[in-house]
Amino acid sequence: MCKSQQQVQLLFILCLAAGIEIDGQVESDTQSEEDEGKEKISKKQPRRETVRAGRLERKKPQRDKEDESKEEENCPRQNRASRRKKHQKKNGDGKNAEVKERDKKASTKDQKNSENKEKKTNKKQKEGENKQKKDRKNSTSSESSNSFDEESLSEEELAMLMEQVEQRKKLISTMRNKPWRMVKKLSVLREAQAFVEKFEGALGKGKGKKLYAYKMMMAKKWVKFKRDFDNFKTQCIPWEMKIKEVESHFGSSVASYFIFLRWMYGVNLVLFGLIFGLVIIPEILMGMPYGSMPRKTVPRAEQATAMDFSVLWDFEGYIKYSALFYGYYNNQRTIGWLKYRLPMAYFMVGISVFGYSLMVVIRSMARNANQSTADGDDDNFIFSWKMFTSWDYLIGNPETADNKFASITTGFKESIVDEQESNKDENIHLRRFLRVLANVLIICCLCGSGYLIYFVVKRSQTFSKMQNVGWYERNEVEIVMSLLGMFCPPLFETIAALENYHPRIGLKWQLGRIFALFLGNLYTFLLALMDDVNEKLAEEDVVKNITRWMLLGHHNSSMGNSSADTPPPLDPADVPRGPCWETTVGIEFVRLTVSDILVTYVTILVGDFIRACFVRFVNYCWCWDLEAGFPSYAEFDISGNVLGLVFNQGMIWMGSFYAPGLVGINVLRLLTSMYFQCWAVMSSNVPHERVFKASKSNNFYMGLLLLILFLSLLPVAYTIMSLPPSFDCGPFSGKKRMYEVIQETIELDFPLFIAKIFIFLAILHTSWLSHLSLVPCGEAISVTAGGIYSTAKAWHSKITCSKNMFFFSFFFQVIYLKFVSIASDHFSFEATSETMLNP
Amino acid sequence: LRGLNNLLFYRYRDLAPQLVPLDYTDKPDVTLPYELIGSMPELKDNPFRQRIAEVFSEDGDGNMTLDDFLDMFSVLSEMAPRDLKAYYAFKIYDFNNDDYICKSDLEKTVNKLTRNELTPEEVRLVCEKVIYEADLDNDGKLSLEDFQHMIIRAPDFLSTFHIRI
């Protein structure tokens, strides 16, 4: 391997080795210790040839030792090394020494304030001196080695040696934080490494020395393995070059959207793997095949049209009766030769989807919170920050650079004007009135849009009962929701012009309002859907009766025909089917998602690409300058896109319990989105003119995601806890409630003592539960309330490990309580618990 | 990371293939002149590229050896700690290398950032405001401590003082 690569590798060893030390001190805290160390070296140890193109990789300690012994022409050294091997060494002392050293270093760190330049020159001088003194040291080493000729090294000297080794190790680990020149860093690093390697092996105790050396070697191998694995992981990150290109043209804020998209893609991929591997594949491979059961077959009445494209597009027909939706799954307790418990798996996977997403989002928020600083709205350093942090070093494109120069100039001018104007009086009353007016208008808009959606959903229910519905009537709901999502935000922006806020605050208001809009729409949609569900549930009894009569009739007629004892089974397609509300809900969500995808893509195509083409080509024969004037080129709408992504994910979370295939559709969507949007941005967008960084927005978007996670958990939890599953479709059919599958599993699959444990716990907790369990969905609401509360807290304060644990524990405590309530319901106090849990 | 090392080495070599040998075992003393460094796509649009090269080069003229080159990109990468970046940022903005960012340094910075579009009056106002905001020891110029104290709190510093290669 060529030397440069070695150097580079060593350099990055430094970087990775110190990766955990986040806020490394630039003013080297080990300065004095190093100086001390160096002096000690010069006195005691022979100066090693540091600038030798040798093998200094840690993974080859043996070879190094050989080299060292070859290098050294001094017998004394070998003597000393062998002597070291013979003598005992207190490792415990070494560890104490290390702790003491760290304290010492911390205190000296506080005292230090010398000029870096002086230090550097001092160091350089010392190094130079050290190098010159090499020969002299060799002779002194022979002297000192004579002193070591004694059979037993004193404890003190061993302790000192241990200390020096620890010093070197600390130096190596903090090397990356030192503002030295590369050459110097490399030489000091090599020297320190060589020292550590040479004497580390000698520090083990007599008998346990081999074990100690072995342990050190394994530790080094482990470090190396981790490093290689990290390298590999970094190489595997997809789309890195694409994002870099976008970044250099548009700056880091636009690129942050794509990084967020990539992260979402990763999360969805994991969720898809979970669902696909644990639910869909077992059912397809080991469950009953299509056509063998009523729930898996297209009913006779629909078979004629089941393959039509328009029917398939609405997710009816063959798709409705496929593994994509809830209704396909059989409620057989175990399937296949593996005795795979599918209903249990379905339930647990549904819960773990939320659990995993929660973990991942919180972890990401914690990481972001660590990186970002206290308060982005700090007003104390406006001009300083404008001067020193406004240039984006990632820019690699002259056009973007021009824009950046222009925006910086504008920024400075604006700040100057702000500064001069801040002394003026303002008309507070007018401002307040305008703000109140704006808020009133916006609330009206929100209510209006909510009502519109409710009205449209009700209408679609009447449509579904009619015949001969056109395409528009079938898709009215989705169209209306998408249109609202497209036109309301710009409306909010124009109304917000009345308010006259600082742009960063204005952006927050805008995002909050868009959030309220989407949320309101989604929940109205859900409410309307719930009416549908309740209707279907009411229908069920009727269908049950019909089925019974029909089967009876079939038996009678077939009995009449043949004299066999058992009647031939009814063809699955002919069995009258109960309404399957879960599949309906799943279908609605899938349709919503698909229409959302389509609308997004069409908007990008028309709003960005066609617009760009129009501006570019029609500009020649148009009255005014299209590029500078009205349409001009579009800017990439970061917040709109991020919000779209967040809400899309919310819908996926809501729908994935009822339509396992939805996550797969989303994975495809994110994949194509990445390529499509990258292309659209590069070809039709221009960089932002006015760039102010909503720089804490990373955590803001994560916070939104967390909120959406809890809010989408709520409907699912409600339906699981309080609605009875359909009687003839899905993995929970036949049960009173979906969660009973857990009780069943515990009863039948676990040994008896676990059931006894639950009885005991139930006795303990019965009274506590009565507070929470009064309303059937009380648990669900309390979980969500806890979640929202914790989200709000997390948003406004730094997330630390302890707070994470608090949120988790709250969440799991309520889940646990619910679980115990289920157990108590089943195992004991059945009658009384029943009255408590189901008013 | 080996991939990244190789990438950097080959980028360095690509600037002047005839000067940079593939084999570095005998430590050739190769220095690339500033013009080549300043023409790299990552740097050519940066108004501070001259200062960056000067700060990281051994001779202070902007002529960089491979070690300097690696040094530069490691400090400007995502992985470098905040304090290290702050230290080098200070050196970059200190045009006259006197270990203080004085008013003339600030004026040069502003003019480079706005390509001389601000009036002298406006430039003067901006520099005065900066000194007013950040100068803690009231000596009329920014020392390293003042600068670090100010830049550590900046929310954008890490994301803007970053070059991806």
Side-chain angles (χ1 to χ4, degrees):
Chain A
M1 198 162 58
C2 64
K3 168 75 162 35
S4 65
Q5 294 180 335
Q6 278 179 14
Q7 286 182 331
V8 172
Q9 184 197 345
L10 279 172
L11 165 66
F12 283 93
I13 289 173
L14 303 178
C15 295
L16 274 180
I20 303 177
E21 261 102 26
I22 296 179
D23 283 288
Q25 297 295 317
V26 170
E27 310 245 337
S28 59
D29 50 349
T30 55
Q31 202 61 41
S32 65
E33 286 79 8
E34 287 163 31
D35 293 344
E36 273 176 61
K38 287 214 167 69
E39 284 163 37
K40 281 185 191 166
I41 301 169
S42 58
K43 280 180 217 157
K44 281 207 158 186
Q45 314 298 340
R47 183 75 180 162
R48 188 162 292 232
E49 289 168 298
T50 57
V51 192
R52 193 188 127 120
R55 275 74 114 235
L56 291 158
E57 293 151 66
R58 286 172 163 186
K59 63 184 173 187
K60 299 172 193 165
Q62 291 305 317
R63 268 177 78 193
D64 273 330
K65 286 212 165 96
E66 284 168 40
D67 287 343
E68 291 157 29
S69 50
K70 275 185 221 156
E71 264 179 50
E72 288 304 321
E73 66 274 39
N74 300 337
C75 313
R77 174 164 259 212
Q78 284 169 352
N79 282 348
R80 200 184 326 118
S82 56
R83 277 219 180 82
R84 290 256 158 68
K85 285 176 191 168
K86 288 181 200 163
H87 297 295
Q88 301 289 328
K89 178 69 186 157
K90 285 185 194 159
N91 287 341
D93 271 357
K95 286 215 167 70
N96 288 339
E98 193 184 312
V99 169
K100 279 185 228 152
E101 265 208 11
R102 290 229 173 93
D103 292 337
K104 196 168 61 167
K105 279 169 194 157
S107 56
T108 50
K109 194 173 36 176
D110 295 331
Q111 296 159 11
K112 220 122 24 96
N113 231 336
S114 46
E115 298 281 350
N116 279 343
K117 203 174 180 182
E118 277 177 26
K119 273 187 236 162
K120 265 201 203 171
T121 48
N122 284 345
K123 276 181 239 165
K124 282 195 173 142
Q125 284 168 8
K126 276 211 173 104
E127 274 205 330
E129 282 169 16
N130 286 340
K131 282 178 192 163
Q132 288 162 14
K133 283 188 208 157
K134 185 181 160 200
D135 292 340
R136 271 178 273 164
K137 277 167 214 158
N138 279 340
S139 56
T140 55
S141 78
S142 53
E143 286 172 25
S144 52
S145 68
N146 286 338
S147 67
F148 288 126
D149 269 342
E150 305 150 16
E151 273 299 316
S152 57
L153 281 170
S154 63
E155 292 285 323
E156 214 180 276
E157 278 160 354
L158 282 173
M160 225 182 313
L161 184 66
M162 186 74 183
E163 214 179 278
Q164 284 175 15
V165 170
E166 295 298 332
Q167 264 180 24
R168 293 283 181 290
K169 279 189 184 168
K170 178 117 201 238
L171 176 62
I172 291 175
S173 64
T174 54
M175 182 72 76
R176 77 184 280 221
N177 298 336
K178 308 241 185 296
W180 299 339
R181 289 252 167 254
M182 180 68 54
V183 182
K184 179 160 166 213
K185 275 192 199 178
L186 285 175
S187 59
V188 172
L189 173 70
R190 279 197 206 105
E191 180 241 319
Q193 273 183 334
F195 185 83
V196 167
E197 273 162 32
K198 177 175 192 276
F199 289 109
E200 199 155 33
L203 290 177
K205 297 190 187 194
K207 279 181 190 164
K209 190 204 69 125
K210 279 210 171 115
L211 184 65
Y212 181 76
Y214 177 73
K215 273 198 303 191
M216 294 310 294
M217 197 184 71
M218 289 313 289
K220 286 175 195 168
K221 278 203 192 307
W222 173 246
V223 166
K224 173 165 193 307
F225 171 73
K226 272 204 306 192
R227 202 160 60 224
D228 286 342
F229 186 63
D230 276 335
N231 288 358
F232 173 68
K233 272 202 301 191
T234 328
Q235 272 180 356
C236 276
I237 295 180
W239 302 313
E240 191 71 14
M241 291 318 288
K242 250 194 185 14
I243 293 189
K244 181 190 167 187
E245 219 189 313
V246 171
E247 206 165 26
S248 71
H249 277 78
F250 291 90
S252 43
S253 48
V254 170
S256 73
Y257 164 74
F258 287 98
I259 293 177
F260 187 59
L261 179 61
R262 184 174 65 185
W263 180 82
M264 288 289 251
Y265 174 71
V267 172
N268 275 287
L269 209 55
V270 170
L271 293 180
F272 175 66
L274 260 181
I275 293 184
F276 193 67
L278 292 178
V279 172
I280 298 187
I281 290 282
E283 180 69 24
I284 292 183
L285 290 183
M286 298 194 289
M288 315 278 278
Y290 172 81
S292 57
M293 297 179 56
R295 66 183 61 177
K296 299 194 184 211
T297 329
V298 179
R300 187 75 60 186
E302 294 176 22
Q303 267 183 0
T305 55
M307 269 308 258
D308 289 350
F309 183 72
S310 61
V311 168
L312 284 182
W313 185 254
D314 280 341
F315 293 94
E316 303 274 336
Y318 279 113
I319 291 192
K320 181 170 171 182
Y321 297 96
S322 72
L324 244 52
F325 291 105
Y326 176 95
Y328 184 81
Y329 295 86
N330 196 9
N331 69 337
Q332 216 176 339
R333 205 176 79 85
T334 66
I335 54 177
W337 53 273
L338 268 179
K339 300 256 178 287
Y340 189 77
R341 279 120 174 88
L342 187 75
M344 180 69 173
Y346 193 99
F347 189 77
M348 294 310 285
V349 164
I351 300 226
S352 60
V353 158
F354 287 102
Y356 174 76
S357 311
L358 179 69
M359 248 176 38
V360 150
V361 171
I362 290 195
R363 187 175 65 180
S364 177
M365 284 182 88
R367 217 182 286 149
N368 283 343
N370 272 338
Q371 282 174 359
S372 68
T373 45
D375 196 350
D377 289 331
D378 199 347
D379 278 343
N380 295 341
F381 294 116
I382 297 182
F383 279 90
S384 315
W385 288 346
K386 266 195 163 49
M387 180 170 306
F388 293 116
T389 64
S390 55
W391 181 261
D392 195 349
Y393 281 57
L394 284 163
I395 290 179
N397 174 289
E399 210 181 291
T400 321
D402 286 341
N403 267 336
K404 193 70 178 171
F405 284 124
S407 85
I408 291 178
T409 312
T410 321
F412 272 123
K413 291 199 173 164
E414 280 177 4
S415 295
I416 295 175
V417 166
D418 271 350
E419 177 75 13
Q420 286 166 344
E421 259 191 21
S422 65
N423 302 327
K424 282 195 202 158
D425 282 327
E426 24 173 88
N427 192 346
I428 288 212
H429 298 290
L430 181 65
R431 185 174 280 206
R432 276 197 196 139
F433 171 72
L434 283 177
R435 283 183 185 169
V436 167
L437 178 65
N439 279 320
V440 163
L441 282 175
I442 286 181
I443 291 180
C444 288
C445 285
L446 286 174
C447 293
S449 80
Y451 178 70
L452 184 62
I453 291 188
Y454 192 76
F455 173 71
V456 164
V457 171
K458 280 288 174 231
R459 220 157 72 133
S460 82
Q461 283 169 357
T462 55
F463 281 149
S464 62
K465 296 191 173 56
M466 279 169 27
Q467 305 296 333
N468 293 338
V469 284
W471 172 85
Y472 174 74
E473 281 83 2
R474 270 206 304 270
N475 294 317
E476 194 181 24
V477 178
E478 284 82 21
I479 291 179
V480 165
M481 283 184 75
S482 312
L483 283 178
L484 274 178
M486 241 175 29
F487 288 118
C488 280
L491 182 63
F492 291 163
E493 257 183 73
T494 39
I495 296 182
L498 279 177
E499 287 183 330
N500 206 0
Y501 277 125
H502 183 280
R504 203 185 281 136
I505 304 181
L507 178 70
K508 285 200 172 133
W509 276 96
Q510 175 72 358
L511 289 176
R513 286 172 185 146
I514 298 182
F515 188 76
L517 173 75
F518 276 120
L519 215 57
N521 290 354
L522 204 56
Y523 267 74
T524 323
F525 175 74
L526 282 177
L527 280 175
L529 211 58
M530 281 309 297
D531 286 348
D532 203 16
V533 168
N534 286 330
E535 247 182 56
K536 286 214 154 69
L537 282 176
E539 254 182 65
E540 274 195 349
D541 285 331
V542 176
V543 173
K544 275 187 194 160
N545 279 337
I546 296 180
T547 320
R548 219 177 298 141
W549 281 114
M550 194 184 170
L551 279 175
L552 217 55
H554 176 78
H555 286 182
N556 287 341
S557 63
S558 57
M559 288 295 255
N561 283 347
S562 70
S563 52
D565 285 359
T566 52
L570 192 59
D571 186 297
D574 290 324
V575 175
R577 302 297 319 285
C580 192
W581 63 267
E582 293 97 343
T583 307
T584 314
V585 170
I587 290 180
E588 283 301 315
F589 275 109
V590 172
R591 284 168 66 186
L592 202 57
T593 308
V594 167
S595 80
D596 186 47
I597 296 174
L598 284 177
V599 167
T600 313
Y601 283 12
V602 166
T603 315
I604 294 180
L605 211 52
V606 169
D608 287 355
F609 183 64
I610 303 280
R611 176 169 156 181
C613 288
F614 179 73
V615 170
R616 170 73 63 86
F617 297 120
V618 176
N619 203 15
Y620 297 119
C621 44
W622 203 261
C623 333
W624 70 85
D625 186 359
L626 286 173
E627 283 188 6
F630 161 54
S632 76
Y633 297 106
E635 288 181 353
F636 186 77
D637 178 16
I638 304 174
S639 48
N641 273 298
V642 172
L643 279 182
L645 209 56
V646 165
F647 281 111
N648 172 62
Q649 190 62 35
M651 290 200 293
I652 302 296
W653 278 324
M654 265 197 248
S656 67
F657 190 75
Y658 297 111
L662 186 57
V663 184
I665 296 179
N666 198 40
V667 165
L668 279 176
R669 169 228 164 99
L670 289 175
L671 190 61
T672 50
S673 222
M674 181 55 129
Y675 289 107
F676 184 58
Q677 283 192 300
C678 270
W679 166 79
V681 151
M682 295 300 288
S683 70
S684 0
N685 283 101
V686 288
H688 289 235
E689 268 194 34
R690 175 96 202 273
V691 182
F692 64 92
K693 292 253 168 58
S695 50
K696 281 201 34 117
S697 30
N698 243 0
N699 242 11
F700 182 69
Y701 295 134
M702 282 297 164
L704 273 185
L705 200 61
L706 194 61
L707 195 57
I708 288 257
L709 175 62
F710 282 118
L711 292 174
S712 55
L713 176 59
L714 179 58
V716 178
Y718 173 72
T719 51
I720 291 182
M721 304 300 192
S722 36
L723 290 184
S726 309
F727 75 95
D728 78 337
C729 73
F732 307 115
S733 59
K735 300 195 172 47
K736 236 181 6 176
R737 290 274 186 276
M738 291 189 195
Y739 54 76
E740 284 179 10
V741 72
I742 299 186
Q743 284 163 219
E744 196 186 49
T745 313
I746 292 182
E747 237 172 69
L748 299 176
D749 290 327
F750 283 91
L752 200 55
F753 70 90
I754 294 197
K756 290 198 179 133
I757 292 178
F758 278 113
I759 295 176
F760 176 66
L761 286 173
I763 296 174
L764 275 181
H765 285 97
T766 316
S767 58
W768 192 3
L769 284 177
S770 59
H771 301 301
L772 282 177
S773 314
L774 283 177
V775 181
C777 56
E779 297 85 356
I781 290 185
S782 58
V783 166
T784 326
I788 295 180
Y789 170 72
S790 52
T791 313
K793 289 279 284 185
W795 206 334
H796 289 289
S797 59
K798 283 207 173 124
I799 301 182
T800 59
C801 235
S802 56
K803 281 187 179 143
N804 275 347
M805 291 327 334
F806 171 70
F807 301 151
F808 271 118
S809 66
F810 187 89
F811 186 66
F812 286 117
Q813 207 169 28
V814 188
I815 298 270
Y816 160 75
L817 285 175
K818 180 58 194 173
F819 189 67
V820 171
S821 80
I822 298 168
S824 78
D825 178 22
H826 183 83
F827 288 113
S828 62
F829 308 114
E830 230 164 320
T832 50
S833 307
E834 197 101 41
T835 51
M836 264 203 303
L837 292 171
N838 304 315
Chain B
L1 214 56
R2 295 235 168 93
L4 189 57
N5 298 350
N6 282 337
L7 179 65
L8 281 173
F9 173 68
Y10 286 123
R11 288 300 302 271
Y12 184 73
R13 187 156 187 279
D14 283 342
L15 295 174
Q18 69 281 13
L19 289 178
V20 179
L22 270 173
D23 184 9
Y24 250 69
T25 39
D26 39 357
K27 295 195 316 126
D29 193 9
V30 176
T31 313
L32 292 187
Y34 163 70
E35 290 71 29
L36 289 176
I37 308 284
S39 66
M40 285 182 70
E42 284 85 358
L43 288 177
K44 69 174 165 46
D45 293 306
N46 194 321
F48 299 109
R49 58 188 179 277
Q50 172 111 26
R51 279 301 301 160
I52 296 175
E54 282 171 12
V55 163
F56 286 101
S57 67
E58 227 170 307
D59 54 5
D61 271 341
N63 306 315
M64 300 177 79
T65 64
L66 178 64
D67 288 340
D68 301 333
F69 189 78
L70 299 173
D71 219 359
M72 175 169 74
F73 280 107
S74 89
V75 169
L76 286 166
S77 77
E78 248 171 342
M79 299 187 301
R82 186 195 294 264
D83 287 339
L84 193 62
K85 287 198 182 207
Y87 173 77
Y88 277 105
F90 180 78
K91 298 194 67 114
I92 288 175
Y93 294 120
D94 179 13
F95 282 78
N96 48 14
N97 283 321
D98 61 354
D99 288 335
Y100 286 103
I101 296 185
C102 56
K103 220 150 176 230
S104 66
D105 295 331
L106 289 174
E107 280 173 13
K108 288 207 192 78
T109 310
V110 174
N111 282 324
K112 273 206 193 302
L113 278 174
T114 59
R115 285 200 292 206
N116 298 316
E117 297 246 336
L118 292 182
T119 68
E121 181 61 34
E122 289 170 336
V123 172
R124 188 186 61 81
L125 185 64
V126 169
C127 297
E128 271 174 14
K129 276 299 286 185
V130 171
I131 302 255
Y132 172 73
E133 285 172 354
D135 189 10
L136 298 173
D137 45 16
N138 285 323
D139 55 359
K141 45 193 180 170
L142 301 184
S143 63
L144 177 62
E145 284 75 27
D146 300 336
F147 183 80
Q148 279 188 323
H149 178 259
M150 176 268 294
I151 209 84
I152 295 293
R153 282 165 181 62
D156 305 340
F157 175 59
L158 280 179
S159 56
T160 53
F161 197 69
H162 166 214
I163 293 187
R164 197 191 291 265
I165 190 151

